[in-house]
Amino acid sequence: MKSLIITTFLAVLLHLPLAGQSLTPDQLQADFSRFRTALNEVHPEMYRYTPKPVFDSLFEATAARLNRSMSQHEFYVMMTPLLVALRDGHIKWIVSGRDEHYPFFTDKLFPLKLYFLGEKAWMMDNYSTSPVPIGAEIKAINGKPMHQIIQTLLPMMTFADGNGIGGKLEDLNHYFSGYYATFIDAPTAFDVVCQVGSETKTITVSPVTDQTIKAYVEAHKPTPQKPFRLTFMDTQTAVMTIERFMGNKKEQDYKQFLHDSFQEIKAKNVQHLVLDLRDNEGGEESWGILLYSYLARQPFRYYDHISVHQKKKYSFPAWTSKLYRMLKGLAVKKHGNAYALAWHKGLRNTKPKPEAYQGKLYVLLNGTSFSVTTELAARIHADKRAVFIGQESGGGYRVNSSGIFTITQLPNSKIDLGIGMFGFNMANVAEHADRGIIPDYLVEPTADDMLNHRDRIMEYTLKLIQSQKTALTKGE
């Protein structure tokens, strides 16, 4: 996720939630109008994945349903499919003053931590206590089969660009309890059908609170490591891990890390470099560009253009960057029938660094590889610079809509809508118009891998490298 504004988002426009208050049809229509106007005036490429006629039909159908009084929760759920239709994983839809993952229910939450793969789920741990066995496949919850639960939730989830679902499944791994409560039910008990081996049984478990879940997450955080790491596996193989493309002055200096690392890689004559970008949600665009300057074999242009919907002032109350408002008269120029940023480092040709790595490159991705991370991966992939291993990225291959955000609060429901203003269109890409980066070798961790802390993707990569070394030694 882009660092600019994300850290500020939850702090602005806080109001008490209105979950128990009924909103009149007039109030709902007013909020709907603000919602639609904001998307139309701010989103840089609203119709990239869903054509305008389809979107207009969705808007009209939704407006027709706002003909009765309803709660904030009902309105939130009814509007969510319109956001999903954007296929924009950066869009923000947050009840003011509430945790975005638990917007309406802070209790009556599902008490088991699950792992999702395809249309199945497995029990990884308890948030409190329950007799459901660790490792059991969860077949159904309160009479609803797991595949139906997943099919119900995925169309209500926004964390994905285009038509990929990898990011959504990763989101379920972390926040299933919140999604289930918001979009399915928040009952006083859960009847869980689970299977271990050939045995299937139903176990009733009690719900937990969001504080219990957060306490579990805090207690099970991995041992802190430096966010940028270089590890040598042998004399010819190195692994570079980049956890995020942002930091602070108290942490490692990213630029210095890259400079020192690639100097060392060159000095040691490394022939195989693994770039681990799994679970990296992104950050600063310039950090991705800088890293690629250490990997590129020839001068490159990172972005083709950076789209902006309009240059004029918005017709509705909103918050956005003061600096952008001051500079957009100079920075935003006409681009075809729309507008684009005229200034950005990624729009220029960039030369590789003198110490740029020239050997074989392997890039590891998963569904949480997003935003700036996917931009970098797209540039590497389009230039045929690396072999990709793991799972499809959560971010889109061709474009990433983010950057500076515009935030407006719907006046009656008090829900904050945050919209990324820039469409970062990658240069010279020709594949997967509606998907993320699809690996050359699809490797998906199993439930057993997760339980036993086995890194199947890294193991596969190192075996692939070893096989290539062996083939080279034999002269194959």
Side-chain angles (χ1 to χ4, degrees):
M1 111 190 32
K2 304 283 180 160
S3 62
L4 187 57
I5 194 58
I6 293 295
T7 54
T8 309
F9 185 87
L10 295 177
V12 301
L13 302 175
L14 295 182
H15 289 266
L16 291 175
L18 302 175
Q21 179 177 326
S22 182
L23 298 164
T24 68
D26 286 345
Q27 290 176 319
L28 296 170
Q29 291 293 343
D31 282 13
F32 174 85
S33 178
R34 171 77 65 83
F35 178 99
R36 186 173 186 175
T37 298
L39 289 181
N40 282 329
E41 293 188 17
V42 180
H43 200 282
E45 300 185 28
M46 185 172 170
Y47 306 116
R48 168 170 283 275
Y49 300 114
T50 301
K52 187 176 187 302
V54 176
F55 237 129
D56 288 345
S57 295
L58 290 172
F59 275 123
E60 291 167 8
T62 303
R65 296 174 63 193
L66 301 176
N67 59 356
R68 61 175 179 84
S69 295
M70 61 180 63
S71 68
Q72 182 193 45
H73 183 193
E74 290 177 287
F75 178 68
Y76 176 99
V77 171
M78 187 172 291
M79 299 295 285
T80 297
L82 292 170
L83 296 175
V84 175
L86 290 169
R87 307 289 193 264
D88 174 2
H90 281 89
I91 201 75
K92 302 297 178 185
W93 182 233
I94 301 177
V95 179
S96 292
R98 302 300 295 268
D99 187 311
E100 64 178 305
H101 299 111
Y102 308 98
F104 300 101
F105 299 96
T106 56
D107 57 3
K108 300 181 181 179
L109 299 173
F110 189 71
L112 309 181
K113 178 175 174 57
L114 303 183
Y115 174 67
F116 293 84
L117 187 61
E119 292 192 337
K120 295 184 176 182
W122 291 264
M123 158 72 162
M124 294 289 103
D125 206 349
N126 285 292
Y127 290 129
S128 57
T129 58
S130 87
V132 178
I134 300 292
E137 183 181 351
I138 306 303
K139 306 292 288 186
I141 300 173
N142 285 356
K144 192 166 189 175
M146 181 52 69
H147 72 274
Q148 290 185 13
I149 293 173
I150 294 172
Q151 290 170 1
T152 298
L153 293 179
L154 291 184
M156 305 301 287
M157 299 174 67
T158 60
F159 187 60
D161 288 344
N163 292 316
I165 64 169
K168 296 183 180 185
L169 291 176
E170 288 289 350
D171 228 23
L172 283 181
N173 289 338
H174 296 286
Y175 306 112
F176 172 75
S177 298
Y179 282 115
Y180 188 95
T182 300
F183 295 109
I184 296 179
D185 194 15
T188 57
F190 296 89
D191 292 330
V192 178
V193 179
C194 59
Q195 180 175 332
V196 180
S198 60
E199 182 183 6
T200 300
K201 54 185 176 181
T202 300
I203 300 173
T204 300
V205 296
S206 300
V208 296
T209 68
D210 65 330
Q211 293 305 311
T212 299
I213 295 175
K214 291 174 183 178
Y216 170 92
V217 172
E218 185 66 28
H220 290 79
K221 280 185 176 179
T223 303
Q225 299 186 73
K226 292 181 178 180
F228 322 123
R229 304 186 293 277
L230 180 66
T231 305
F232 292 90
M233 310 305 292
D234 56 42
T235 57
Q236 292 186 325
T237 308
V239 176
M240 178 177 287
T241 302
I242 306 293
E243 291 188 353
R244 45 189 154 85
F245 286 110
M246 54 186 169
N248 58 59
K249 294 181 179 179
K250 296 181 180 179
E251 294 182 331
Q252 295 164 280
D253 185 292
Y254 176 71
K255 292 182 180 179
Q256 192 65 48
F257 167 79
L258 292 185
H259 176 270
D260 294 346
S261 294
F262 282 99
Q263 290 280 9
E264 188 174 6
I265 287 169
K266 186 172 184 178
K268 292 186 175 180
N269 195 29
V270 168
Q271 299 300 306
H272 302 270
L273 175 61
V274 180
L275 179 59
D276 192 350
L277 299 177
R278 291 174 294 173
D279 298 321
N280 183 333
E281 293 189 39
E284 300 288 347
E285 299 99 359
S286 61
W287 286 32
I289 298 168
L290 177 61
L291 176 51
Y292 192 54
S293 70
Y294 284 99
L295 300 171
R297 288 175 171 166
Q298 58 190 17
F300 63 91
R301 181 182 171 101
Y302 207 72
Y303 301 122
D304 178 81
H305 64 281
I306 303 171
S307 58
V308 182
H309 183 75
Q310 70 180 42
K311 192 172 182 176
K312 64 183 180 181
K313 185 178 179 180
Y314 300 133
S315 66
F316 59 94
W319 181 96
T320 193
S321 165
K322 182 178 180 180
L323 181 61
Y324 173 74
R325 295 198 306 270
M326 293 171 58
L327 295 178
K328 69 177 179 179
L330 297 173
V332 178
K333 304 294 183 182
K334 195 73 176 175
H335 181 82
N337 294 325
Y339 293 89
L341 283 183
W343 305 335
H344 196 288
K345 182 178 181 180
L347 296 171
R348 307 194 302 263
N349 284 332
T350 300
K351 293 181 179 180
K353 296 286 186 182
E355 61 271 38
Y357 173 70
Q358 298 299 309
K360 293 185 177 180
L361 180 65
Y362 310 81
V363 178
L364 310 188
L365 299 175
N366 65 4
T368 318
S369 302
F370 190 63
S371 192
V372 167
T373 303
T374 308
E375 290 179 355
L376 171 63
R379 179 76 279 124
I380 295 172
H381 190 281
D383 291 347
K384 297 179 171 58
R385 179 64 183 90
V387 172
F388 286 78
I389 303 164
Q391 298 162 285
E392 182 178 353
S393 66
Y397 189 107
R398 288 191 177 184
V399 65
N400 162 43
S401 298
S402 58
I404 297 173
F405 275 63
T406 288
I407 304 166
T408 187
Q409 184 175 97
L410 305 190
N412 300 296
S413 61
K414 306 303 180 187
I415 303 175
D416 296 335
L417 175 63
I419 308 167
M421 297 166 58
F422 304 148
F424 293 87
N425 287 261
M426 303 307 299
N428 306 314
V429 295
E431 298 185 46
H432 311 309
D434 64 342
R435 298 290 295 274
I437 289 85
I438 299 174
D440 300 294
Y441 298 94
L442 180 64
V443 183
E444 297 184 306
T446 66
D448 284 342
D449 293 336
M450 303 303 291
L451 287 170
N452 294 309
H453 306 288
R454 177 189 176 193
D455 191 343
R456 178 181 292 268
I457 294 174
M458 184 62 75
E459 286 182 10
Y460 185 98
T461 303
L462 296 178
K463 286 181 180 178
L464 178 64
I465 292 172
Q466 186 57 47
S467 69
Q468 293 177 347
K469 290 179 183 177
T470 302
L472 184 63
T473 301
K474 292 180 178 180
E476 296 178 2

